[in-house]
Amino acid sequence: MLETMKGAIFDLDGVIVDTAKYHYLAWRSLANRLGFEFTERDNERLKGVSRMESLQILLEVGGVEADEAERQQMADMKNKEYVGYISRLEPSEILPGAKEYLQQLRRQGVKIALGSASKNAAFILERLGIATLFDAVIDGTKVSKAKPDPEVFLAASAALGLAPADCVVFEDAAAGVEAGKAAGCGAIGIGSPDILSAADWVIGGLDELVRE
Ligand code: BG6
Ligand code: MG
């Protein structure tokens, strides 16, 4: 599959950069302000999920009711704290092998896209100094349907000018693997085979794909 792919589409959080911990810290602060605990286990359910859907899950965990205006205010509060963390993001927080693998693919002539639910994606790529490695960036500002809907990966393959079947998606979230398969792409899971069983193949990290 990797030998024949013409396009590689990468999720951002948890695949390219270790931002999941900052999402967690910011969501946990919000939960604490609302008067309940939010564990790392609860946080697993938010991976790959859009900001507003993440908030919905968090409010369910805490048994908190909120109207539309209150939700918007809560999401803004969380994002403000999160942006505070990612404003201090260092290139050292790029996950092992990620940058090297992107460079390797470029040398091989494989087209590269980002396919992320995050509205902060462009800012993060700039901050990490890797924006120029991507031929296309499809993020939360460009799509309306959240993973596991295939929209983000269909848009990413189209932006590369390729058929989905010629693209491989790299994902750390179950919803992302599902979205990649639904788009008709190959899917490589990054993380635990138990959680990512729908993937064609599961690896521990992109460093496993880097050739010396
Ligand atoms: C995804 C993360 O990449 O982006 C989710 O896995 C996050 O945890 C989502 O909620 C939206 O991110 P943002 O930056 O737009 O709040
Ligand atoms: Mg992810």
Side-chain angles (χ1 to χ4, degrees):
M1 191 171 66
L2 291 179
E3 290 68 33
T4 55
M5 76 176 164
K6 293 182 184 161
I9 308 174
F10 293 88
D11 172 49
L12 178 65
D13 296 307
V15 171
I16 303 278
V17 62
D18 189 14
T19 37
K21 60 183 179 215
Y22 299 131
H23 277 295
Y24 173 57
L25 289 176
W27 284 127
R28 192 181 61 182
S29 301
L30 175 66
N32 293 166
R33 262 195 292 251
L34 294 171
F36 64 94
E37 288 302 320
F38 190 70
T39 67
E40 283 198 66
R41 189 142 173 257
D42 295 325
N43 188 61
E44 276 302 308
R45 294 174 58 200
L46 308 191
K47 288 192 177 165
V49 177
S50 72
R51 193 180 305 167
M52 294 315 280
E53 286 186 47
S54 295
L55 176 64
Q56 169 67 28
I57 295 170
L58 181 126
L59 294 177
E60 272 166 32
V61 168
V64 174
E65 303 271 336
D67 65 23
E68 201 41 49
E70 289 167 331
R71 280 169 194 254
Q72 198 53 58
Q73 216 177 9
M74 289 173 191
D76 290 348
M77 203 186 276
K78 180 267 172 180
N79 192 54
K80 203 166 165 214
E81 182 168 334
Y82 178 67
V83 169
Y85 294 126
I86 59 174
S87 302
R88 295 188 292 270
L89 208 55
E90 299 283 339
S92 62
E93 289 166 271
I94 296 177
L95 286 164
K99 187 169 182 184
E100 293 75 10
Y101 187 54
L102 291 170
Q103 289 166 330
Q104 177 178 311
L105 291 177
R106 286 197 82 79
R107 283 196 299 274
Q108 290 170 354
V110 174
K111 295 253 177 245
I112 301 174
L114 193 83
S116 167
S118 175
K119 293 190 158 110
N120 293 299
F123 176 69
I124 292 173
L125 294 182
E126 284 301 332
R127 193 64 222 148
L128 297 175
I130 55 172
T132 55
L133 292 173
F134 291 84
D135 298 297
V137 172
I138 305 296
D139 60 20
T141 65
K142 300 199 175 123
V143 293
S144 53
K145 294 187 212 122
K147 300 170 189 175
D149 189 281
E151 184 186 12
V152 63
F153 296 127
L154 291 172
S157 56
L160 294 179
L162 295 171
D166 288 327
C167 297
V168 174
V169 161
F170 296 81
E171 260 291 351
D172 70 316
V177 166
E178 213 185 301
K181 295 305 293 175
C185 303
I188 297 204
I190 298 180
S192 153
D194 299 344
I195 298 171
L196 305 170
S197 56
D200 294 300
W201 187 23
V202 179
I203 57 174
L206 292 174
D207 51 339
E208 292 176 28
L209 302 177
V210 177
R211 295 202 206 106
E212 295 307 319

